[in-house]
Amino acid sequence: MRYPESARLPDALLKLGYIYGEAGEIDRAREVLQKLVQAYPNTQAANLAERRLQALR
């Protein structure tokens, strides 16, 4: 990643996970969303990612 400390990165990863999920790439969506939760655990984006992960199962 070019800017790993960017404040926008959690939101960008969340959107990327959503896009993969909508495109039917469920494994990639899970991978991105899990990475988001691990890297940015106390963010709103991580909370939304956890909800999305539950919906993907």
Side-chain angles (χ1 to χ4, degrees):
M1 288 180 222
R2 201 177 238 183
Y3 301 100
E5 300 301 319
S6 173
R8 294 181 176 183
L9 189 55
D11 293 330
L13 289 172
L14 179 65
K15 289 177 185 177
L16 186 59
Y18 283 178
I19 290 167
Y20 282 139
E22 293 297 317
E25 296 185 42
I26 304 304
D27 290 338
R28 289 186 87 177
R30 282 191 187 116
E31 180 182 331
V32 170
L33 295 172
Q34 287 170 344
K35 181 177 183 178
L36 164 58
V37 171
Q38 290 174 353
Y40 304 97
N42 297 318
T43 62
Q44 182 179 6
N47 291 335
L48 293 171
E50 287 176 340
R51 289 185 200 166
R52 187 61 158 216
L53 282 165
Q54 291 298 322
L56 291 174
R57 292 179 186 180

